[in-house]
Amino acid sequence: MAVPETNAHEIPAGHFSRLLKHWRSVRRLTQIELAADANVSARHLCFLETGRSQPSREMVQLLGSALDLPLEERNALHVAAGFVPPYGDKGLAAENLQPVRQALDFILRQQEPYPGIVIDGHWDVRMRNQGSARLLKPFRDSYEMENGLADNAMHVVFHPKGLRQFMLNWDEFARQLIQILHRDVAQGSRAAAQLLDEIMVYPGLSAEWRLPRQSATSSPVMTMQLAKGDYRLAFFSTFTTLAMPTDAALQQIKIECFFPADDATAGKARQLALSPTPGR
């Protein structure tokens, strides 16, 4: 799905009408369709989009829900209408989210001896288990990336001096991975839109990857095949998100768990877990 040229983050606060029209266009809804979904009159919706009427806080919430906006964009819609954003945006650092951090840590420990990481809305790795540190250490030690980029899951895959140099099936893997980023953009993630622009400047990326496409593959899962000399690993991964979060940053959290795609990788993970030398 092509996204209209107007970007939500380019629309300043106080311009609710423009932001509403932007998201209706992104969702490919007519005014009549959105009005029906929100259970409001098409006439009133038209007045909101032209600025002839100003929305109440309840109306902003109703339209944000009808448009299925992520919490970050519902906050932006409230700000554009002149209201205080209703959803927190502190993410994992918030003091009241200690139970969430404990739950994430529990999930990562249960994933041992295989890798597991927690990724935020910018695709920065916020937490990782010892399995991730142990198994990926030989590759991470060879990264030659700018400060901070080595902790970003997307940059690590696409940067020519990151994990990409060790990935045997990089073209296939990256082609599918970037479509996940496109889905984030289509859902309204500003961070994903910025990250996509940053990724596309790397050498060797097809111009076609700038557009969302349905990837054709004969495999039921996306496998990552890594090799550094005789050290070889093969994983497929799963993404898990938190159910019904009320924090905008927390809504974007992903838990990625890696599972061995062959017996050799499973054996290597068990072997390293018994090693007295800790991972990093």
Side-chain angles (χ1 to χ4, degrees):
M1 179 180 70
V3 177
E5 293 183 1
T6 301
N7 292 320
H9 62 273
E10 295 174 346
I11 300 174
H15 289 259
F16 173 83
S17 59
R18 290 178 57 193
L19 194 54
L20 175 60
K21 186 174 182 179
H22 163 81
W23 282 116
R24 182 176 61 77
S25 298
V26 169
R27 296 295 188 246
R28 293 190 172 186
L29 296 170
T30 65
Q31 286 185 343
I32 292 177
E33 289 170 334
L34 178 56
D37 290 343
N39 197 27
V40 300
S41 72
R43 176 184 176 86
H44 185 48
L45 183 64
C46 178
F47 282 7
L48 291 173
E49 284 197 2
T50 58
R52 295 177 64 183
S53 294
Q54 295 301 312
S56 65
R57 174 182 285 275
E58 291 73 20
M59 179 59 67
V60 176
Q61 190 76 347
L62 183 63
L63 291 171
S65 178
L67 288 164
D68 193 26
L69 298 184
L71 300 186
E72 176 189 24
E73 294 306 325
R74 296 191 196 193
N75 276 346
L77 203 63
H78 277 82
V79 171
F83 299 114
V84 175
Y87 301 105
D89 196 9
K90 295 181 180 179
L92 289 177
E95 184 176 347
N96 65 334
L97 292 181
Q98 182 180 357
V100 176
R101 293 193 296 273
Q102 292 174 338
L104 294 174
D105 183 64
F106 176 81
I107 293 172
L108 294 181
R109 282 187 279 111
Q110 295 299 112
Q111 180 61 16
E112 295 284 356
Y114 310 127
I117 58 177
V118 175
I119 305 168
D120 65 16
H122 296 267
W123 285 81
D124 289 330
V125 179
R126 301 294 302 276
M127 301 171 66
R128 68 174 77 244
N129 67 359
Q130 286 299 310
S132 174
R134 286 191 302 267
L135 286 161
L136 298 180
K137 183 179 185 298
F139 306 111
R140 289 178 60 83
D141 285 348
S142 298
Y143 293 170
E144 297 178 23
M145 303 173 65
E146 295 81 355
N147 289 339
L149 294 186
D151 289 321
N152 183 277
M154 281 289 176
H155 278 288
V156 161
V157 170
F158 288 91
H159 194 293
K161 296 296 184 180
L163 195 61
R164 170 177 171 178
Q165 60 188 316
F166 305 110
M167 197 173 298
L168 301 179
N169 61 333
W170 178 79
D171 186 85
E172 176 189 9
F173 184 86
R175 183 184 301 273
Q176 296 181 59
L177 184 62
I178 206 165
Q179 294 305 315
I180 296 177
L181 196 56
H182 275 295
R183 288 199 292 272
D184 285 353
V185 173
Q187 285 298 313
S189 171
R190 306 183 190 196
Q194 179 181 345
L195 189 55
L196 182 61
D197 288 339
E198 294 172 359
I199 293 300
M200 286 304 301
V201 304
Y202 288 136
L205 274 65
S206 171
E208 295 180 354
W209 292 7
R210 279 198 171 276
L211 300 174
R213 296 179 184 276
Q214 182 66 39
S215 298
T217 176
S218 58
S219 174
V221 293
M222 182 171 63
T223 303
M224 178 174 63
Q225 301 170 20
L226 303 173
K228 184 181 179 184
D230 294 332
Y231 186 74
R232 291 173 175 261
L233 300 171
F235 295 105
F236 65 90
S237 64
T238 63
F239 284 107
T240 304
T241 58
L242 300 176
M244 297 182 290
T246 57
D247 179 275
L250 201 60
Q251 187 184 50
Q252 301 174 63
I253 289 291
K254 297 181 180 70
I255 308 156
E256 185 172 15
C257 293
F258 296 82
F259 297 90
D262 54 37
D263 292 339
T265 300
K268 177 62 69 174
R270 291 192 295 268
Q271 175 189 346
L272 290 179
L274 298 174
S275 172
T277 303
R280 194 168 51 140

